[in-house]
Amino acid sequence: AANFLPQTVTSLGATLLMGYLVDRLRRPQLLIVAAMVMLAAALVWATVLGPGWSALLYGAALGATAGGMKAVETALTPRLFGTAHLGAIRGVITAVLVAGSALGPVVFAVAYDATGSYAAILLATTALPLAVAVAAVTTRLPDRARQPAQTTRP
């Protein structure tokens, strides 16, 4: 519970920073790489963290990852897919997020029951954000998604 405040603060800061950067970078997928590397590092870190500053910094890293990815995903979705079916696409994204939030604790609980520790499942799941990071830099974006967002000023 002590991690809620640092997670919230860093999530807000990362959302603002990544939201600013996603509109200005020529290769916005590098922000996905940054967030996924931070998530992988946090998963590894969780195997050795203890109470105090280590746990607070871990919570801050998770908050920054979540907030940063939310900003990038929200900004890139219409650039990647257009706006014609944005509601349906956002619905699928939300369903996947909810399913992951529901299944994740079950997977971790089963792994803990089987091994008596969270270390193995934390290290195993590190492969997921690393795979996403690799996919982010190796997948070619459509031309419209590679262009910085056009903003109009009043």
Side-chain angles (χ1 to χ4, degrees):
N3 269 321
F4 290 147
L5 183 58
Q7 275 184 291
T8 302
V9 170
T10 57
S11 178
L12 177 60
T15 299
L16 294 172
L17 176 64
M18 296 287 234
Y20 174 82
L21 292 174
V22 76
D23 287 336
R24 285 155 182 81
L25 291 179
R26 184 130 179 91
R27 296 191 66 207
Q29 65 268 41
L30 295 178
L31 297 174
I32 297 170
V33 173
M36 292 298 101
V37 167
M38 186 181 312
L39 178 57
L43 289 168
V44 171
W45 188 353
T47 64
V48 296
L49 70 87
W53 285 106
S54 179
L56 290 175
L57 291 174
Y58 166 75
L62 285 182
T65 298
M69 275 310 302
K70 184 64 176 169
V72 171
E73 177 260 320
T74 301
L76 283 184
T77 300
R79 284 168 59 183
L80 291 170
F81 301 104
T83 57
H85 302 286
L86 191 57
I89 294 166
R90 295 284 310 136
V92 170
I93 291 169
T94 300
V96 170
L97 290 172
V98 169
S101 296
L103 293 175
V106 173
V107 171
F108 274 69
V110 168
Y112 182 84
D113 285 346
T115 65
S117 170
Y118 289 109
I121 191 67
L122 285 164
L123 293 174
T125 55
T126 301
L128 295 172
L130 293 176
V132 170
V134 169
V137 294
T138 59
T139 303
R140 186 174 187 279
L141 295 177
D143 288 336
R144 70 175 175 266
R146 286 185 281 153
Q147 302 301 319
Q150 301 297 317
T151 58
T152 57
R153 307 239 183 224

Short mmCIF file of all heavy atoms in Angstrom, two decimals, residues 1-73:
data_model
loop_
_atom_site.label_atom_id
_atom_site.label_comp_id
_atom_site.label_asym_id
_atom_site.label_seq_id
_atom_site.Cartn_x
_atom_site.Cartn_y
_atom_site.Cartn_z
N ALA A 1 0.82 -1.20 0.00
CA ALA A 1 0.00 0.00 0.00
C ALA A 1 0.87 1.26 0.00
O ALA A 1 0.47 2.28 -0.56
CB ALA A 1 -0.93 -0.01 1.21
N ALA A 2 2.06 1.18 0.58
CA ALA A 2 2.94 2.34 0.62
C ALA A 2 3.44 2.71 -0.78
O ALA A 2 3.91 3.82 -1.00
CB ALA A 2 4.13 2.07 1.54
N ASN A 3 3.31 1.80 -1.72
CA ASN A 3 3.76 2.07 -3.08
C ASN A 3 2.74 2.82 -3.92
O ASN A 3 3.07 3.29 -5.02
CB ASN A 3 4.11 0.75 -3.79
CG ASN A 3 5.56 0.41 -3.61
OD1 ASN A 3 6.41 1.27 -3.63
ND2 ASN A 3 5.83 -0.86 -3.43
N PHE A 4 1.52 2.95 -3.46
CA PHE A 4 0.50 3.62 -4.27
C PHE A 4 0.88 5.06 -4.60
O PHE A 4 0.70 5.50 -5.74
CB PHE A 4 -0.87 3.58 -3.59
CG PHE A 4 -1.49 2.21 -3.55
CD1 PHE A 4 -2.28 1.83 -2.50
CD2 PHE A 4 -1.27 1.30 -4.57
CE1 PHE A 4 -2.86 0.57 -2.45
CE2 PHE A 4 -1.83 0.03 -4.54
CZ PHE A 4 -2.63 -0.33 -3.48
N LEU A 5 1.38 5.80 -3.63
CA LEU A 5 1.71 7.20 -3.88
C LEU A 5 2.88 7.35 -4.87
O LEU A 5 2.74 8.07 -5.87
CB LEU A 5 2.01 7.94 -2.57
CG LEU A 5 2.29 9.43 -2.73
CD1 LEU A 5 1.12 10.15 -3.39
CD2 LEU A 5 2.59 10.05 -1.38
N PRO A 6 4.01 6.66 -4.66
CA PRO A 6 5.07 6.80 -5.66
C PRO A 6 4.66 6.28 -7.04
O PRO A 6 5.05 6.85 -8.06
CB PRO A 6 6.25 6.00 -5.11
CG PRO A 6 5.79 5.34 -3.88
CD PRO A 6 4.45 5.88 -3.51
N GLN A 7 3.87 5.23 -7.09
CA GLN A 7 3.40 4.73 -8.38
C GLN A 7 2.54 5.77 -9.07
O GLN A 7 2.66 6.00 -10.28
CB GLN A 7 2.59 3.44 -8.21
CG GLN A 7 3.42 2.20 -8.15
CD GLN A 7 2.56 0.96 -8.07
OE1 GLN A 7 1.91 0.71 -7.06
NE2 GLN A 7 2.57 0.17 -9.12
N THR A 8 1.65 6.40 -8.33
CA THR A 8 0.75 7.40 -8.90
C THR A 8 1.52 8.63 -9.39
O THR A 8 1.28 9.12 -10.49
CB THR A 8 -0.31 7.81 -7.87
OG1 THR A 8 -1.03 6.64 -7.47
CG2 THR A 8 -1.27 8.83 -8.43
N VAL A 9 2.44 9.09 -8.58
CA VAL A 9 3.21 10.29 -8.95
C VAL A 9 4.06 10.03 -10.19
O VAL A 9 4.07 10.83 -11.13
CB VAL A 9 4.09 10.76 -7.76
CG1 VAL A 9 5.07 11.84 -8.19
CG2 VAL A 9 3.19 11.27 -6.64
N THR A 10 4.76 8.91 -10.22
CA THR A 10 5.60 8.63 -11.39
C THR A 10 4.76 8.27 -12.61
O THR A 10 5.16 8.57 -13.74
CB THR A 10 6.64 7.53 -11.11
OG1 THR A 10 5.97 6.34 -10.69
CG2 THR A 10 7.65 7.97 -10.06
N SER A 11 3.61 7.68 -12.40
CA SER A 11 2.71 7.40 -13.52
C SER A 11 2.25 8.70 -14.16
O SER A 11 2.26 8.84 -15.39
CB SER A 11 1.51 6.59 -13.05
OG SER A 11 0.62 6.36 -14.12
N LEU A 12 1.87 9.65 -13.35
CA LEU A 12 1.44 10.96 -13.87
C LEU A 12 2.58 11.65 -14.61
O LEU A 12 2.40 12.14 -15.72
CB LEU A 12 0.94 11.84 -12.72
CG LEU A 12 0.52 13.25 -13.09
CD1 LEU A 12 -0.62 13.24 -14.10
CD2 LEU A 12 0.12 14.01 -11.85
N GLY A 13 3.76 11.67 -14.00
CA GLY A 13 4.92 12.30 -14.64
C GLY A 13 5.29 11.63 -15.95
O GLY A 13 5.55 12.30 -16.96
N ALA A 14 5.29 10.31 -15.98
CA ALA A 14 5.63 9.57 -17.20
C ALA A 14 4.57 9.77 -18.27
O ALA A 14 4.89 9.88 -19.45
CB ALA A 14 5.81 8.09 -16.89
N THR A 15 3.31 9.85 -17.87
CA THR A 15 2.24 10.09 -18.84
C THR A 15 2.45 11.43 -19.53
O THR A 15 2.36 11.54 -20.75
CB THR A 15 0.86 10.06 -18.15
OG1 THR A 15 0.67 8.77 -17.57
CG2 THR A 15 -0.26 10.36 -19.11
N LEU A 16 2.75 12.45 -18.76
CA LEU A 16 2.97 13.78 -19.34
C LEU A 16 4.22 13.80 -20.22
O LEU A 16 4.19 14.34 -21.33
CB LEU A 16 3.08 14.83 -18.22
CG LEU A 16 1.81 15.05 -17.40
CD1 LEU A 16 2.08 15.95 -16.21
CD2 LEU A 16 0.70 15.61 -18.27
N LEU A 17 5.31 13.22 -19.75
CA LEU A 17 6.55 13.22 -20.52
C LEU A 17 6.41 12.39 -21.81
O LEU A 17 6.76 12.87 -22.90
CB LEU A 17 7.70 12.67 -19.67
CG LEU A 17 9.04 12.54 -20.40
CD1 LEU A 17 9.55 13.90 -20.83
CD2 LEU A 17 10.04 11.82 -19.52
N MET A 18 5.90 11.19 -21.69
CA MET A 18 5.77 10.34 -22.88
C MET A 18 4.74 10.91 -23.85
O MET A 18 4.92 10.82 -25.06
CB MET A 18 5.38 8.92 -22.48
CG MET A 18 6.43 8.22 -21.66
SD MET A 18 7.84 7.74 -22.63
CE MET A 18 7.91 6.01 -22.24
N GLY A 19 3.68 11.50 -23.34
CA GLY A 19 2.70 12.14 -24.20
C GLY A 19 3.32 13.28 -24.99
O GLY A 19 3.04 13.46 -26.18
N TYR A 20 4.17 14.03 -24.35
CA TYR A 20 4.89 15.11 -25.03
C TYR A 20 5.84 14.53 -26.09
O TYR A 20 5.86 14.99 -27.23
CB TYR A 20 5.68 15.93 -24.00
CG TYR A 20 6.57 16.98 -24.60
CD1 TYR A 20 6.06 18.20 -24.98
CD2 TYR A 20 7.92 16.72 -24.78
CE1 TYR A 20 6.88 19.17 -25.54
CE2 TYR A 20 8.75 17.69 -25.33
CZ TYR A 20 8.23 18.91 -25.72
OH TYR A 20 9.05 19.85 -26.27
N LEU A 21 6.59 13.51 -25.73
CA LEU A 21 7.59 12.95 -26.64
C LEU A 21 7.00 12.18 -27.81
O LEU A 21 7.53 12.22 -28.92
CB LEU A 21 8.55 12.03 -25.86
CG LEU A 21 9.47 12.73 -24.86
CD1 LEU A 21 10.25 11.69 -24.06
CD2 LEU A 21 10.41 13.69 -25.57
N VAL A 22 5.89 11.49 -27.59
CA VAL A 22 5.32 10.66 -28.66
C VAL A 22 4.89 11.52 -29.85
O VAL A 22 4.93 11.07 -31.00
CB VAL A 22 4.17 9.78 -28.15
CG1 VAL A 22 2.88 10.57 -27.95
CG2 VAL A 22 3.92 8.61 -29.09
N ASP A 23 4.53 12.75 -29.61
CA ASP A 23 4.14 13.64 -30.70
C ASP A 23 5.33 14.31 -31.38
O ASP A 23 5.17 14.94 -32.41
CB ASP A 23 3.20 14.73 -30.17
CG ASP A 23 1.82 14.19 -29.87
OD1 ASP A 23 1.45 13.16 -30.45
OD2 ASP A 23 1.12 14.80 -29.04
N ARG A 24 6.51 14.19 -30.82
CA ARG A 24 7.66 14.90 -31.35
C ARG A 24 8.77 14.00 -31.91
O ARG A 24 9.59 14.47 -32.67
CB ARG A 24 8.23 15.81 -30.28
CG ARG A 24 7.33 17.04 -30.12
CD ARG A 24 7.43 17.68 -28.77
NE ARG A 24 6.51 18.79 -28.66
CZ ARG A 24 5.23 18.70 -28.39
NH1 ARG A 24 4.67 17.53 -28.21
NH2 ARG A 24 4.45 19.76 -28.30
N LEU A 25 8.75 12.74 -31.54
CA LEU A 25 9.81 11.84 -31.99
C LEU A 25 9.48 11.26 -33.36
O LEU A 25 8.34 10.92 -33.65
CB LEU A 25 10.01 10.70 -30.99
CG LEU A 25 10.61 11.07 -29.65
CD1 LEU A 25 10.72 9.84 -28.78
CD2 LEU A 25 11.96 11.73 -29.81
N ARG A 26 10.49 11.13 -34.16
CA ARG A 26 10.32 10.52 -35.49
C ARG A 26 10.08 9.01 -35.35
O ARG A 26 9.40 8.41 -36.17
CB ARG A 26 11.57 10.77 -36.31
CG ARG A 26 11.47 10.28 -37.72
CD ARG A 26 11.89 11.39 -38.66
NE ARG A 26 11.84 10.98 -40.03
CZ ARG A 26 10.77 11.14 -40.80
NH1 ARG A 26 9.69 11.67 -40.31
NH2 ARG A 26 10.81 10.76 -42.06
N ARG A 27 10.66 8.40 -34.33
CA ARG A 27 10.48 6.96 -34.07
C ARG A 27 9.84 6.77 -32.69
O ARG A 27 10.50 6.44 -31.72
CB ARG A 27 11.83 6.24 -34.14
CG ARG A 27 12.44 6.30 -35.54
CD ARG A 27 13.61 5.39 -35.69
NE ARG A 27 13.14 4.01 -35.57
CZ ARG A 27 13.91 3.00 -35.15
NH1 ARG A 27 15.16 3.22 -34.83
NH2 ARG A 27 13.44 1.79 -35.08
N PRO A 28 8.52 6.96 -32.58
CA PRO A 28 7.86 6.87 -31.28
C PRO A 28 7.93 5.49 -30.65
O PRO A 28 7.78 5.35 -29.44
CB PRO A 28 6.41 7.28 -31.57
CG PRO A 28 6.24 7.03 -33.03
CD PRO A 28 7.57 7.25 -33.66
N GLN A 29 8.22 4.46 -31.47
CA GLN A 29 8.31 3.11 -30.90
C GLN A 29 9.49 2.99 -29.93
O GLN A 29 9.54 2.08 -29.12
CB GLN A 29 8.35 2.03 -31.98
CG GLN A 29 9.56 2.07 -32.87
CD GLN A 29 9.38 2.89 -34.12
OE1 GLN A 29 8.80 3.96 -34.09
NE2 GLN A 29 9.91 2.41 -35.23
N LEU A 30 10.44 3.92 -29.98
CA LEU A 30 11.54 3.91 -29.01
C LEU A 30 11.03 4.16 -27.59
O LEU A 30 11.64 3.71 -26.62
CB LEU A 30 12.61 4.93 -29.40
CG LEU A 30 13.34 4.63 -30.71
CD1 LEU A 30 14.35 5.74 -31.02
CD2 LEU A 30 14.00 3.27 -30.68
N LEU A 31 9.91 4.85 -27.48
CA LEU A 31 9.30 5.05 -26.17
C LEU A 31 8.75 3.74 -25.63
O LEU A 31 8.79 3.48 -24.43
CB LEU A 31 8.20 6.12 -26.25
CG LEU A 31 8.67 7.50 -26.66
CD1 LEU A 31 7.48 8.43 -26.86
CD2 LEU A 31 9.66 8.07 -25.66
N ILE A 32 8.24 2.90 -26.52
CA ILE A 32 7.78 1.57 -26.11
C ILE A 32 8.96 0.77 -25.60
O ILE A 32 8.87 0.10 -24.56
CB ILE A 32 7.07 0.85 -27.28
CG1 ILE A 32 5.82 1.61 -27.69
CG2 ILE A 32 6.74 -0.60 -26.90
CD1 ILE A 32 5.18 1.11 -28.97
N VAL A 33 10.07 0.85 -26.32
CA VAL A 33 11.29 0.14 -25.90
C VAL A 33 11.70 0.60 -24.51
O VAL A 33 11.99 -0.22 -23.62
CB VAL A 33 12.42 0.33 -26.92
CG1 VAL A 33 13.72 -0.26 -26.40
CG2 VAL A 33 12.05 -0.28 -28.26
N ALA A 34 11.74 1.91 -24.30
CA ALA A 34 12.14 2.45 -22.99
C ALA A 34 11.24 1.93 -21.87
O ALA A 34 11.72 1.50 -20.82
CB ALA A 34 12.13 3.98 -23.03
N ALA A 35 9.94 1.96 -22.11
CA ALA A 35 9.00 1.49 -21.08
C ALA A 35 9.14 -0.01 -20.83
O ALA A 35 9.10 -0.46 -19.68
CB ALA A 35 7.57 1.83 -21.49
N MET A 36 9.32 -0.79 -21.89
CA MET A 36 9.44 -2.24 -21.72
C MET A 36 10.75 -2.63 -21.05
O MET A 36 10.79 -3.56 -20.25
CB MET A 36 9.28 -2.95 -23.07
CG MET A 36 7.89 -2.86 -23.66
SD MET A 36 6.62 -3.65 -22.64
CE MET A 36 5.89 -2.23 -21.83
N VAL A 37 11.82 -1.93 -21.35
CA VAL A 37 13.09 -2.20 -20.67
C VAL A 37 12.96 -1.86 -19.19
O VAL A 37 13.44 -2.60 -18.32
CB VAL A 37 14.25 -1.44 -21.35
CG1 VAL A 37 15.51 -1.46 -20.49
CG2 VAL A 37 14.53 -2.03 -22.73
N MET A 38 12.27 -0.75 -18.88
CA MET A 38 12.06 -0.40 -17.47
C MET A 38 11.20 -1.44 -16.78
O MET A 38 11.47 -1.82 -15.63
CB MET A 38 11.42 0.97 -17.34
CG MET A 38 11.34 1.42 -15.89
SD MET A 38 10.56 3.01 -15.60
CE MET A 38 11.35 4.06 -16.77
N LEU A 39 10.18 -1.96 -17.46
CA LEU A 39 9.35 -3.01 -16.86
C LEU A 39 10.15 -4.28 -16.63
O LEU A 39 10.06 -4.89 -15.56
CB LEU A 39 8.14 -3.30 -17.74
CG LEU A 39 7.20 -4.40 -17.25
CD1 LEU A 39 6.68 -4.13 -15.84
CD2 LEU A 39 6.04 -4.58 -18.23
N ALA A 40 10.96 -4.67 -17.60
CA ALA A 40 11.79 -5.87 -17.43
C ALA A 40 12.75 -5.69 -16.26
O ALA A 40 12.93 -6.60 -15.45
CB ALA A 40 12.55 -6.17 -18.72
N ALA A 41 13.35 -4.51 -16.17
CA ALA A 41 14.26 -4.24 -15.05
C ALA A 41 13.52 -4.29 -13.71
O ALA A 41 14.04 -4.83 -12.73
CB ALA A 41 14.93 -2.88 -15.24
N ALA A 42 12.30 -3.77 -13.68
CA ALA A 42 11.52 -3.81 -12.44
C ALA A 42 11.17 -5.24 -12.06
O ALA A 42 11.19 -5.60 -10.87
CB ALA A 42 10.25 -2.97 -12.60
N LEU A 43 10.86 -6.08 -13.04
CA LEU A 43 10.56 -7.48 -12.74
C LEU A 43 11.78 -8.20 -12.15
O LEU A 43 11.66 -8.97 -11.19
CB LEU A 43 10.07 -8.20 -14.00
CG LEU A 43 8.68 -7.80 -14.49
CD1 LEU A 43 8.42 -8.35 -15.88
CD2 LEU A 43 7.60 -8.25 -13.51
N VAL A 44 12.95 -7.94 -12.70
CA VAL A 44 14.17 -8.53 -12.16
C VAL A 44 14.43 -7.95 -10.77
O VAL A 44 14.78 -8.68 -9.83
CB VAL A 44 15.37 -8.29 -13.10
CG1 VAL A 44 16.67 -8.71 -12.44
CG2 VAL A 44 15.16 -9.03 -14.42
N TRP A 45 14.27 -6.65 -10.62
CA TRP A 45 14.49 -5.96 -9.35
C TRP A 45 13.59 -6.54 -8.26
O TRP A 45 14.00 -6.66 -7.11
CB TRP A 45 14.21 -4.49 -9.55
CG TRP A 45 14.54 -3.56 -8.42
CD1 TRP A 45 14.95 -3.87 -7.16
CD2 TRP A 45 14.49 -2.14 -8.48
NE1 TRP A 45 15.14 -2.73 -6.43
CE2 TRP A 45 14.87 -1.66 -7.23
CE3 TRP A 45 14.16 -1.24 -9.47
CZ2 TRP A 45 14.92 -0.30 -6.94
CZ3 TRP A 45 14.21 0.11 -9.18
CH2 TRP A 45 14.59 0.57 -7.93
N ALA A 46 12.38 -6.91 -8.62
CA ALA A 46 11.43 -7.43 -7.63
C ALA A 46 11.93 -8.72 -6.98
O ALA A 46 11.48 -9.07 -5.89
CB ALA A 46 10.08 -7.67 -8.29
N THR A 47 12.86 -9.41 -7.63
CA THR A 47 13.37 -10.66 -7.04
C THR A 47 14.30 -10.39 -5.87
O THR A 47 14.59 -11.30 -5.09
CB THR A 47 14.10 -11.51 -8.09
OG1 THR A 47 15.26 -10.82 -8.54
CG2 THR A 47 13.19 -11.86 -9.25
N VAL A 48 14.82 -9.16 -5.76
CA VAL A 48 15.79 -8.87 -4.70
C VAL A 48 15.40 -7.68 -3.83
O VAL A 48 16.14 -7.35 -2.89
CB VAL A 48 17.19 -8.61 -5.31
CG1 VAL A 48 17.73 -9.86 -5.98
CG2 VAL A 48 17.18 -7.43 -6.26
N LEU A 49 14.29 -7.04 -4.10
CA LEU A 49 13.98 -5.82 -3.35
C LEU A 49 13.61 -6.13 -1.91
O LEU A 49 13.17 -7.23 -1.58
CB LEU A 49 12.91 -4.98 -4.05
CG LEU A 49 11.48 -5.49 -4.11
CD1 LEU A 49 10.68 -5.08 -2.89
CD2 LEU A 49 10.83 -4.90 -5.35
N GLY A 50 13.79 -5.14 -1.09
CA GLY A 50 13.44 -5.24 0.32
C GLY A 50 12.61 -4.04 0.71
O GLY A 50 12.30 -3.19 -0.12
N PRO A 51 12.24 -3.95 1.98
CA PRO A 51 11.44 -2.81 2.42
C PRO A 51 12.25 -1.51 2.36
O PRO A 51 13.47 -1.52 2.29
CB PRO A 51 11.06 -3.17 3.85
CG PRO A 51 12.01 -4.23 4.27
CD PRO A 51 12.52 -4.89 3.04
N GLY A 52 11.54 -0.41 2.37
CA GLY A 52 12.21 0.89 2.37
C GLY A 52 12.35 1.47 0.98
O GLY A 52 11.49 1.30 0.12
N TRP A 53 13.49 2.14 0.76
CA TRP A 53 13.73 2.84 -0.50
C TRP A 53 13.68 1.92 -1.71
O TRP A 53 13.19 2.30 -2.77
CB TRP A 53 15.07 3.57 -0.47
CG TRP A 53 15.01 4.81 0.38
CD1 TRP A 53 15.54 4.98 1.62
CD2 TRP A 53 14.33 6.02 0.05
NE1 TRP A 53 15.25 6.22 2.09
CE2 TRP A 53 14.50 6.89 1.14
CE3 TRP A 53 13.60 6.46 -1.04
CZ2 TRP A 53 13.97 8.17 1.16
CZ3 TRP A 53 13.08 7.74 -1.02
CH2 TRP A 53 13.27 8.57 0.06
N SER A 54 14.18 0.72 -1.56
CA SER A 54 14.18 -0.22 -2.68
C SER A 54 12.75 -0.48 -3.14
O SER A 54 12.47 -0.46 -4.35
CB SER A 54 14.86 -1.53 -2.26
OG SER A 54 14.84 -2.46 -3.31
N ALA A 55 11.84 -0.72 -2.22
CA ALA A 55 10.45 -0.99 -2.57
C ALA A 55 9.77 0.26 -3.14
O ALA A 55 8.99 0.16 -4.09
CB ALA A 55 9.69 -1.49 -1.35
N LEU A 56 10.08 1.41 -2.59
CA LEU A 56 9.49 2.64 -3.11
C LEU A 56 9.96 2.94 -4.53
O LEU A 56 9.17 3.34 -5.40
CB LEU A 56 9.80 3.82 -2.19
CG LEU A 56 9.09 3.79 -0.84
CD1 LEU A 56 9.57 4.95 0.04
CD2 LEU A 56 7.59 3.85 -1.01
N LEU A 57 11.23 2.72 -4.79
CA LEU A 57 11.75 2.94 -6.14
C LEU A 57 11.20 1.91 -7.12
O LEU A 57 10.94 2.23 -8.29
CB LEU A 57 13.28 2.93 -6.13
CG LEU A 57 13.93 4.12 -5.41
CD1 LEU A 57 15.44 3.93 -5.32
CD2 LEU A 57 13.58 5.43 -6.10
N TYR A 58 10.99 0.71 -6.65
CA TYR A 58 10.36 -0.32 -7.47
C TYR A 58 8.95 0.12 -7.86
O TYR A 58 8.54 0.04 -9.03
CB TYR A 58 10.32 -1.64 -6.71
CG TYR A 58 9.41 -2.68 -7.32
CD1 TYR A 58 9.78 -3.37 -8.47
CD2 TYR A 58 8.18 -2.97 -6.73
CE1 TYR A 58 8.94 -4.32 -9.03
CE2 TYR A 58 7.34 -3.92 -7.29
CZ TYR A 58 7.72 -4.59 -8.42
OH TYR A 58 6.90 -5.53 -8.98
N GLY A 59 8.19 0.61 -6.90
CA GLY A 59 6.84 1.11 -7.17
C GLY A 59 6.86 2.28 -8.14
O GLY A 59 6.02 2.38 -9.03
N ALA A 60 7.85 3.14 -7.99
CA ALA A 60 7.98 4.28 -8.90
C ALA A 60 8.27 3.80 -10.32
O ALA A 60 7.73 4.33 -11.29
CB ALA A 60 9.07 5.22 -8.40
N ALA A 61 9.11 2.79 -10.45
CA ALA A 61 9.43 2.24 -11.77
C ALA A 61 8.19 1.63 -12.42
O ALA A 61 7.94 1.83 -13.61
CB ALA A 61 10.55 1.20 -11.67
N LEU A 62 7.40 0.91 -11.64
CA LEU A 62 6.16 0.34 -12.18
C LEU A 62 5.18 1.44 -12.59
O LEU A 62 4.54 1.35 -13.65
CB LEU A 62 5.49 -0.57 -11.16
CG LEU A 62 6.11 -1.93 -10.94
CD1 LEU A 62 5.29 -2.73 -9.93
CD2 LEU A 62 6.22 -2.70 -12.24
N GLY A 63 5.07 2.48 -11.80
CA GLY A 63 4.18 3.58 -12.13
C GLY A 63 4.61 4.29 -13.40
O GLY A 63 3.79 4.61 -14.27
N ALA A 64 5.92 4.52 -13.54
CA ALA A 64 6.44 5.18 -14.74
C ALA A 64 6.19 4.31 -15.97
O ALA A 64 5.81 4.83 -17.04
CB ALA A 64 7.93 5.47 -14.59
N THR A 65 6.36 3.02 -15.84
CA THR A 65 6.11 2.12 -16.96
C THR A 65 4.65 2.16 -17.38
O THR A 65 4.33 2.31 -18.56
CB THR A 65 6.50 0.68 -16.58
OG1 THR A 65 7.90 0.64 -16.30
CG2 THR A 65 6.19 -0.29 -17.69
N ALA A 66 3.75 2.04 -16.41
CA ALA A 66 2.31 2.03 -16.71
C ALA A 66 1.85 3.35 -17.31
O ALA A 66 1.14 3.37 -18.33
CB ALA A 66 1.51 1.70 -15.45
N GLY A 67 2.24 4.45 -16.70
CA GLY A 67 1.82 5.75 -17.21
C GLY A 67 2.40 6.05 -18.57
O GLY A 67 1.70 6.57 -19.46
N GLY A 68 3.66 5.72 -18.75
CA GLY A 68 4.30 5.96 -20.04
C GLY A 68 3.68 5.15 -21.15
O GLY A 68 3.40 5.66 -22.24
N MET A 69 3.41 3.89 -20.89
CA MET A 69 2.82 3.03 -21.92
C MET A 69 1.39 3.47 -22.24
O MET A 69 0.95 3.39 -23.39
CB MET A 69 2.84 1.57 -21.51
CG MET A 69 4.14 0.88 -21.82
SD MET A 69 4.71 1.10 -23.53
CE MET A 69 3.36 0.45 -24.47
N LYS A 70 0.66 3.90 -21.25
CA LYS A 70 -0.72 4.36 -21.50
C LYS A 70 -0.71 5.57 -22.42
O LYS A 70 -1.51 5.65 -23.36
CB LYS A 70 -1.42 4.69 -20.17
CG LYS A 70 -2.86 5.06 -20.34
CD LYS A 70 -3.65 3.89 -20.86
CE LYS A 70 -5.12 4.24 -20.95
NZ LYS A 70 -5.87 3.24 -21.69
N ALA A 71 0.20 6.49 -22.20
CA ALA A 71 0.29 7.67 -23.06
C ALA A 71 0.68 7.29 -24.48
O ALA A 71 0.09 7.78 -25.46
CB ALA A 71 1.29 8.67 -22.48
N VAL A 72 1.66 6.42 -24.62
CA VAL A 72 2.12 6.00 -25.94
C VAL A 72 1.01 5.23 -26.67
O VAL A 72 0.72 5.49 -27.84
CB VAL A 72 3.41 5.16 -25.83
CG1 VAL A 72 3.78 4.54 -27.17
CG2 VAL A 72 4.55 6.02 -25.30
N GLU A 73 0.39 4.31 -25.99
CA GLU A 73 -0.69 3.51 -26.61
C GLU A 73 -1.85 4.40 -27.03
O GLU A 73 -2.37 4.27 -28.14
CB GLU A 73 -1.15 2.44 -25.62
CG GLU A 73 -2.30 1.59 -26.11
CD GLU A 73 -3.63 2.03 -25.55
OE1 GLU A 73 -3.70 2.40 -24.37
OE2 GLU A 73 -4.61 2.02 -26.31
#
